[in-house]
Amino acid sequence: QVQLVESGGGLVQPGGSLRLSCIVSGSGFRVNDLGWYRQVPGKQRELVAVISRTDNTNLAPSVAGRFTVSRDNAKNMVYLQMTNSKPEDTAVYYCYAKIHWNGVSYENNYWGQGTQVTVSS
């Protein structure tokens, strides 16, 4: 069984910083890609940032230069450092993991429950 748990969401002022964390718990698998998506009511969930096991990163143009994604493979954790936050960054942020179970040839995608980030003065 895999569980993803996010933490670090909350209220931040425009221009401020916030750090999101996510831990992937369970056993019998290897964690490949990790990342963050976000969603606002009435809109589709969108990619924010993804990081491979070898630390290759891909960030959405809207956050590139402001957000940084990193991971700790030993702890199965992924982080999103948000800086110079904007009101349009307000959303529920979801942690994402691409899991390769031992003994099978395919991967499965898993999601956290989401954490609210609100950028407002």
Side-chain angles (χ1 to χ4, degrees):
Q1 185 176 357
V2 179
Q3 189 174 16
L4 281 66
V5 178
E6 303 102 335
S7 60
L11 176 65
V12 59
Q13 291 188 341
S17 298
L18 201 64
R19 190 192 195 208
L20 305 183
S21 301
C22 173
I23 185 166
V24 182
S25 60
S27 61
F29 56 80
R30 183 183 67 196
V31 180
N32 288 335
D33 289 353
L34 283 167
W36 296 91
Y37 282 67
R38 66 187 181 187
Q39 188 170 24
V40 298
K43 292 190 176 182
Q44 287 189 331
R45 192 173 295 186
E46 65 174 7
L47 171 70
V48 177
V50 64
I51 182 168
S52 73
R53 191 168 180 84
T54 55
D55 289 341
N56 291 316
T57 61
N58 182 29
L59 280 81
S62 59
V63 306
R66 299 188 297 119
F67 292 7
T68 303
V69 61
S70 60
R71 65 187 287 168
D72 184 332
N73 289 335
K75 297 179 180 179
N76 278 344
M77 292 193 71
V78 61
Y79 308 95
L80 184 69
Q81 179 68 52
M82 304 170 59
T83 63
N84 191 19
S85 299
K86 302 178 180 180
E88 51 263 42
D89 295 324
T90 296
V92 177
Y93 283 70
Y94 295 91
C95 177
Y96 153 82
K98 187 180 293 288
I99 300 289
H100 184 181
W101 290 92
N102 295 341
V104 300
S105 61
Y106 53 85
E107 297 172 313
N108 291 114
N109 297 328
Y110 294 86
W111 298 89
Q113 80 287 354
T115 185
Q116 176 70 45
V117 172
T118 301
V119 183
S120 175
S121 56

